[in-house]
Structures are given as structure tokens and as C-alpha cells.
Amino acid sequence: KNEVEQSPQNLTAQEGEFITINCSYSVGISALHWLQQHPGGGIVSLFMLSSGKKKHGRLIATINIQEKHSSLHITASHPRDSAVYICAVKKGDSNQFYFGTGTSLTVIP
Amino acid sequence: EPEVTQTPSHQVTQMGQEVILRCVPISNHLYFYWYRQILGQKVEFLVSFYNNEISEKSEIFDDQFSVERPDGSNFTLKIRSTKLEDSAMYFCASRWGEKLFFGSGTQLSVL
């Protein structure tokens, strides 16, 4: 049973396109993270959300606590955005984080 | 900017050997984690550590695994007798509030 589901699993976009990656979770959470994993394997935290919406440059992350759903949007996508994007949630009553399987994004010039 | 550092970046070992993976978390962080990612699979939680003791561990974290914070800065993961299926990328992370910071990982290959 996956506590965190992401869609799509793979995504190919043309440079400049608007991209949306979705995350649904089934547990009560205290925080949700969007992470970026580069081809070399390193993981970088992009956003931490507990409610509402956050924006950083071309990246926007939203969360709907009632619907247990979060989205990551990339505006004006660029080939350097190509990476795996991972949703991870921290259960409210736990010190654990649960990870989605990731969305592999390829942006073609 | 402070960062979590992991050493070594790659470790190759023979099956049955002991390995120690090292991490230096960010100094004022209180929560520390080990995760692993088998090639092509999702990141999996191994163990969390708080106040110098394990706070939670997953089913993966069996008696072959142990963690230590021997000197107040290093945070180590020991695998006592490695198996082929232990081959994976191992990530250390530390947490401040709800924000997670990851190390760059140690790629462990068990032959």
C-alpha cells in the first residue's frame, strides 16, 4: 500500500510548456515536501508546504489539505528542469517521511 | 549555506563484509534520518534519530543495521554483514522544523 501516489510517472514536454505534477496521499500529514532528484542522484528540497501555496521563481506548489492533494507546477519549462520530482509527506503523529515513486520529467529543447 | 555531508560517495564491498556510512548533519539540527533508494525504485525510510536514540525504524532496518552518533557531529549507519540486496544509494538527512536537508548520498555496491 502506497501512502503517497504521484502522477504522471513519466512526462516529456517541449521547452516553454507549463507542467503540472500531482501528488495524492492517504495519511494525515504535518508537512509535504517537493524534492528534485538530479540525474547524478542528489536530492534537493524545493518546497515544504503545510497549507496554501508557495512560489519560487518558475516553480509553484499548492496543497489542498481537505482533498489530500498537492500539485507542483513549472512555468516556461526549460531543459535544465529535467529531473525526477518526488513528493514526500511527514505523517502528523510520526517522525517518518513517506515518499512517492517520483515523476521523471524530460524537457526537450 | 550549511549542508549535510556524506562520505564516501561510493563504496564497493564484498558480500558479508561490514560497512560504515558516514554523515555530518547540519550542526544545530535535532532530527536525523537514513534513507535508501534501490536503483529504479522509490526512496525508502530506514531510521530516524533524535536526542541520541532511535525514534523510529522501518521493517528494513533489521538487526544487521545500526546507527550511532559517536561524537556529537558524525552520524553513522553500519551494516554488519552486507547482502547483495543492500546495494543502493543511501541518503542521510537532517531536519529543522519541518524542513529536510539531504546529503548527496553514498552509492553502496555489494559484490
Side-chain angles (χ1 to χ4, degrees), chain A residues 34-49:
Chain A
W34 281 104
L35 309 169
Q36 182 189 54
Q37 187 169 30
H38 302 289
I43 297 176
V44 174
S45 179
L46 299 173
F47 292 104
M48 189 277 297
L49 294 163

Side-chain angles (χ1 to χ4, degrees), chain A residues 7-58:
Chain A
S7 65
Q9 200 170 355
N10 296 285
L11 182 55
T12 300
Q14 291 289 330
E15 184 173 356
E17 279 186 17
F18 180 84
I19 287 161
T20 296
I21 300 170
N22 295 298
C23 174
S24 296
Y25 52 91
S26 58
V27 296
I29 68 168
S30 58
L32 181 145
H33 290 254
W34 281 104
L35 309 169
Q36 182 189 54
Q37 187 169 30
H38 302 289
I43 297 176
V44 174
S45 179
L46 299 173
F47 292 104
M48 189 277 297
L49 294 163
S50 53
S51 64
K53 175 179 171 176
K54 286 190 176 178
K55 184 176 189 293
H56 181 68
R58 294 180 295 105

Side-chain angles (χ1 to χ4, degrees), chain A residues 2-4 30-31 33 35 37 40-45 48 86 90 93-97 99-101, chain B residues 31-33 35 37 41-45 48-50 55-58 89 91 95 98-100 102-104:
Chain A
N2 285 327
E3 291 84 0
V4 182
S30 58
H33 290 254
L35 309 169
Q37 187 169 30
I43 297 176
V44 174
S45 179
M48 189 277 297
I86 302 169
K90 180 178 171 294
D93 60 350
S94 165
N95 203 14
Q96 281 199 42
F97 283 80
F99 291 75
T101 52
Chain B
Y31 295 89
F32 313 116
Y33 303 85
Y35 297 94
Q37 187 177 32
Q41 297 185 22
K42 68 177 181 180
V43 177
E44 298 173 292
F45 168 78
S48 61
F49 194 84
Y50 171 72
S55 59
E56 287 181 70
K57 58 184 182 179
S58 72
M89 179 75 96
F91 291 102
R95 178 164 71 90
E98 300 291 6
K99 198 162 182 193
L100 261 185
F102 285 86
S104 53

Side-chain angles (χ1 to χ4, degrees), chain B residues 3-7 22-27 73-75 92 94:
Chain B
E3 59 181 25
V4 177
T5 56
Q6 286 187 247
T7 54
R22 300 179 196 280
C23 170
V24 180
I26 297 172
S27 62
S73 59
N74 291 289
F75 179 50
C92 173
S94 65

